[in-house]
Amino acid sequence: MALTLRLATEADAAGCLAIYRPFVERTAVSFETDVPSVEAFAGRIAAVLQRAPWLVAADPDGPSSSIAGYAYATRFRERAAYQWVVESTVYVAESHRGRGVGRLLYANLLACLRLQGFTAVYGVITLPNPASVALHEALGFTPAGVWPAVGHKLGAWHDVGLWHLRLQAPAPEPRPPTPLPELAAELRFPLR
């Protein structure tokens, strides 16, 4: 199946949620304990797209539920001084893992974040997760610390690691990052 990379829409909520559900129900990869509704997930997509990218890799000829993976960026912290830094997330459907979908999504997410003017991105990984660590490090992320026993899920305490990637040098007097809606019409994926 050939995949198309594009910005998500709220109509992609069911397809993205189908990928996310097993991570909530059966793993500590996500610390969320209740699977959100499709409507709530659509709201998440809409909220993210007001500021940053939410990308999907999908079958261009299939229904909106034929999504192979997705990646997005959210605020790292709420205070204004953090506005140039984001936290990144990527999820790939089990049937598409090991095929480069995560790398394709992430590389394009990072390129878009650079265009917007973000200076750094953090990957936040529940440990152990060797596949996620390998993906982040292959893209240039470096370890930035571990929060020990920070989350309890599925009967166990879990450490969370932070991986950091500098997207571009911070300017002495930076402009705020460009909100995604101001760039969306010009974006053509894959980004080069």
Side-chain angles (χ1 to χ4, degrees):
M1 162 176 38
L3 297 176
T4 297
L5 193 64
R6 59 175 173 76
L7 288 172
T9 69
E10 291 178 59
D12 295 314
C16 290
L17 186 56
I19 294 169
Y20 184 59
R21 175 183 297 277
F23 289 99
V24 173
E25 293 176 336
R26 299 192 301 260
T27 77
V29 167
S30 168
F31 278 178
E32 195 158 9
T33 56
D34 296 315
V35 177
S37 68
V38 172
E39 295 77 19
F41 216 76
R44 291 179 187 186
I45 292 170
V48 166
L49 290 171
Q50 291 306 304
R51 181 169 190 261
W54 184 309
L55 304 178
V56 295
D59 176 355
D61 300 318
S64 62
S65 61
S66 60
I67 294 174
Y70 64 92
Y72 63 91
T74 57
R75 291 185 184 278
F76 180 68
R77 295 285 185 263
E78 287 300 318
R79 293 195 170 89
Y82 289 113
Q83 69 184 295
W84 294 274
V85 179
V86 292
E87 179 180 330
S88 58
T89 301
V90 63
Y91 285 98
V92 177
E94 187 173 356
S95 61
H96 286 82
R97 290 185 203 141
R99 298 181 181 184
V101 174
R103 188 181 191 94
L104 173 71
L105 283 162
Y106 232 144
N108 281 270
L109 179 73
L110 298 173
C112 191
L113 294 170
R114 283 185 187 96
L115 288 172
Q116 289 184 262
F118 290 103
T119 61
V121 59
Y122 282 91
V124 180
I125 305 169
T126 304
L127 300 174
N129 188 336
S132 186
V133 169
L135 174 61
H136 283 83
E137 291 183 353
L139 291 165
F141 284 76
T142 58
V146 174
W147 295 327
V150 72
H152 189 272
K153 185 175 177 187
L154 301 175
W157 286 98
H158 302 277
D159 295 348
V160 169
L162 274 73
W163 269 256
H164 172 264
L165 177 66
R166 175 69 60 208
L167 294 169
Q168 54 201 338
E173 295 297 325
R175 290 188 213 158
T178 304
L180 184 72
E182 293 180 25
L183 294 177
E186 301 168 25
L187 295 175
R188 299 293 176 263
F189 295 101
L191 294 173
R192 301 277 178 226

